[in-house]
């Protein structure tokens, strides 16, 4: 992939830009294999059972990212939509090539809209202004969720009055919100969300499963690869055929909804109440009676559970820090027979696997969720004994 922003030194966020894509994927796969081999080598020396590595799942090199988090800078007359430079000034990236086509079309329209209605960009250095970010998500069907992150309610009435004008130039924007972030902090969004449209959720259709995405819910940023991630996990789960499973750190329920089967009791746990609302709505719409979702901390949920109620299989999909010592130790000492661990950080994945020697690594696969960067997703199947 070629990027003018990268070539001019304007943006270097995509650290692997210019490196042949096949080399990017191979490097990620070799790095992950090396880390996981070191974490499990002693256990497999004893059993003689090798890990089955499936071929890496690749992505389109460009136009893959379904969510854009753009800093708004510049002036009212000439707003920038992109990032900040080292002086905290706005750098315009409205034609960023890793964003999906719908987002690439939307960003220039949103920049023009900001100028036309007079939304005041936030000046980080001076700590004045109102509009901090514009966050755009595109569904597989081309619909958009657009979120304006404001410092206060000051320009909320203006945004409300201008909603019709926005929808006329950007008809795909089916969900539009204002998020309030009053603090001067290195955050992308605040706790309070004001939904301006009648529709509150964006439908994310992946294969046969449709998930409802609310404004403050996490969703995998690469729809093409996420579809294959859920399919791979569901295939492994069906192979071991558990009667019961947990999906910890479930987000909007991706793994749980894809692995739900008649007669299988599925429980999804996630701290975000908005994500749980989304997951419950998706389960209702799909008519899945055996799927339950609850807002709770993954580790605390596990520690409180009675031994006789433990599932046969647990899916974990934690943030970059991994599941940590407490939960990995609990899994090691529990009667859980299988774990599907999906990780965006192979370093913490390897550390967690070292703490679970009884749950042996059986299968692994690298998924290139983030082309042009050093980041990746790895999914693994662990089984006891």
């Amino acid at each position: 992939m070629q990027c003018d922003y990268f070539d001019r030194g304007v943006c270097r966020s995509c650290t692997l830009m210019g490196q042949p894509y096949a080399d990017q994927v191979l490097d990620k796969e070799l790095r992950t294999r090396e880390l996981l081999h070191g974490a499990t080598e002693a256990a497999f020396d004893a059993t003689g059972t090798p890990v089955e590595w499936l071929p890496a799942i690749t992505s389109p090199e460009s136009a893959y990212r379904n969510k854009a988090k753009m800093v708004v800078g510049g002036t009212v007359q000439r707003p920038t939509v992109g990032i900040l430079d080292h002086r905290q000034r706005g750098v315009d990236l409205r034609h960023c090539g890793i964003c999906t086509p719908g987002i690439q079309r939307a960003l220039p329209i949103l920049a023009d809209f900001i100028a036309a209605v007079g939304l005041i960009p936030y000046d980080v250095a001076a700590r004045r202004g109102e509009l901090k970010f514009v966050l755009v998500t595109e569904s597989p069907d081309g619909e958009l969720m657009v979120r304006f992150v404001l410092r206060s309610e000051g320009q909320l009435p203006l945004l409300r009055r201008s909603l019709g004008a926005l929808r006329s130039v950007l008809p795909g924007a089916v969900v539009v919100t204002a998020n309030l972030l009053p603090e001067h902090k290195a955050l992308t969004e605040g706790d309070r969300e004001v939904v301006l449209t009648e529709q509150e959720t964006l439908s994310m259709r992946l294969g046969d499963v449709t998930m409802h995405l609310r404004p403050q819910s996490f969703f995998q940023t690469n729809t093409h690869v996420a579809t294959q991630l859920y399919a791979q996990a569901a295939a492994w789960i069906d192979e071991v055929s558990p009667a019961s499973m947990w999906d910890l750190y479930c987000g909007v329920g991706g793994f749980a909804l894809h692995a739900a089967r008649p007669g299988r009791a599925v429980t999804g746990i996630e701290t975000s109440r908005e994500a749980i609302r989304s997951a419950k709505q998706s389960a209702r719409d799909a008519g899945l009676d055996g799927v339950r979702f609850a807002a709770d901390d993954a580790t605390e949920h596990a520690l409180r559970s009675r031994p006789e109620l433990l599932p046969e299989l647990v899916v974990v999909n934690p943030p970059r820090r991994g599941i940590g010592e407490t939960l990995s130790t609990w899994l090691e000492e529990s009667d859980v027979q299988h774990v599907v661990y999906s990780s965006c950080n192979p370093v913490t994945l390897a550390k967690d696997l070292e703490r679970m020697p009884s749950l042996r690594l059986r299968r692994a696969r690298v998924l290139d969720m983030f082309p042009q960067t050093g980041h990746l997703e790895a999914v693994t199947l662990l089984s006891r004994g």
Side-chain angles (χ1 to χ4, degrees), residues 19-202:
Q19 180 176 338
Y21 183 62
D23 292 348
Q24 293 183 32
V25 176
L26 179 60
D27 288 347
K28 293 177 185 183
E29 188 168 21
L30 292 176
R31 174 160 49 96
T32 305
R33 285 186 180 226
E34 182 178 2
L35 284 165
L36 299 196
H37 177 76
T40 60
E41 184 177 11
F44 281 96
D45 283 347
T47 64
T49 305
V51 179
E52 180 185 356
W53 281 91
L54 280 73
I57 290 175
T58 59
S59 165
E61 295 183 40
S62 61
Y64 68 83
R65 189 176 178 88
N66 61 29
K67 183 174 184 179
K69 301 179 181 181
M70 294 298 191
V71 180
V72 179
T75 65
V76 177
Q77 295 77 20
R78 298 185 65 182
T80 60
V81 177
I83 58 175
L84 298 179
D85 66 13
H86 66 285
R87 295 183 182 179
Q88 304 298 306
R89 298 173 304 185
V91 176
D92 199 272
L93 302 177
R94 68 183 68 184
H95 299 294
C96 177
I98 67 170
C99 295
T100 57
I103 293 177
Q104 291 187 45
R105 289 190 294 269
L107 291 177
I109 294 171
L110 288 167
D112 291 344
F113 170 78
I114 290 167
V117 303
L119 295 174
I120 305 170
Y122 183 69
D123 186 325
V124 174
R127 299 194 180 191
R128 63 171 178 259
E130 287 296 322
L131 181 58
K132 295 184 174 183
F133 299 92
V134 61
L135 313 178
V136 188
T137 304
E138 183 179 14
S139 78
D141 295 320
E143 295 182 330
L144 300 174
M145 176 188 293
V146 179
R147 303 169 63 204
F148 296 92
V149 182
L150 303 172
R151 186 178 69 162
S152 72
E153 295 186 18
Q155 292 204 291
L156 187 53
L158 175 61
L159 195 53
R160 287 186 187 277
R161 292 196 302 270
S162 306
L163 180 61
L166 175 61
R167 298 288 294 276
S168 67
V169 295
L170 197 61
V174 297
V175 181
V176 181
T177 76
N179 178 275
L180 299 179
L181 178 60
E183 299 88 357
H184 183 81
K185 293 181 179 179
L187 299 173
T188 307
E189 60 186 62
D191 295 330
R192 185 181 169 198
E193 197 87 24
V194 180
V195 180
L196 304 177
T197 49
E198 181 177 351
Q199 186 169 325
E200 297 184 356
T201 66
L202 189 66

Side-chain angles (χ1 to χ4, degrees), residues 236 240 338-340 360-364 379-383:
W236 285 346
V240 299
H338 308 279
V339 174
V340 173
R360 304 189 187 280
L361 180 61
R362 303 300 189 192
R363 293 180 183 167
V379 63
T380 61
L381 173 64
L382 318 174
S383 294

Side-chain angles (χ1 to χ4, degrees), residues 280-295:
K280 288 181 175 179
Q281 181 178 350
S282 300
R284 285 195 304 270
D285 288 354
L288 300 175
D289 297 330
V291 181
R292 169 183 168 269
F293 293 99

Side-chain angles (χ1 to χ4, degrees), residues 5 63 98 128 139 154 192 217 221 224 231 247 250 257 273 313 362 373:
Y5 296 125
I98 67 170
R128 63 171 178 259
S139 78
R192 185 181 169 198
S217 302
T221 57
H224 174 81
D247 180 4
C250 71
L257 294 167
R273 294 186 180 278
L313 181 144
R362 303 300 189 192
T373 79

Side-chain angles (χ1 to χ4, degrees), residues 249-271:
Y249 310 93
C250 71
V252 295
F255 289 100
L257 294 167
H258 280 82
R261 301 289 184 270
R264 180 179 296 164
V266 179
T267 299
I269 300 296
E270 165 64 45
T271 56

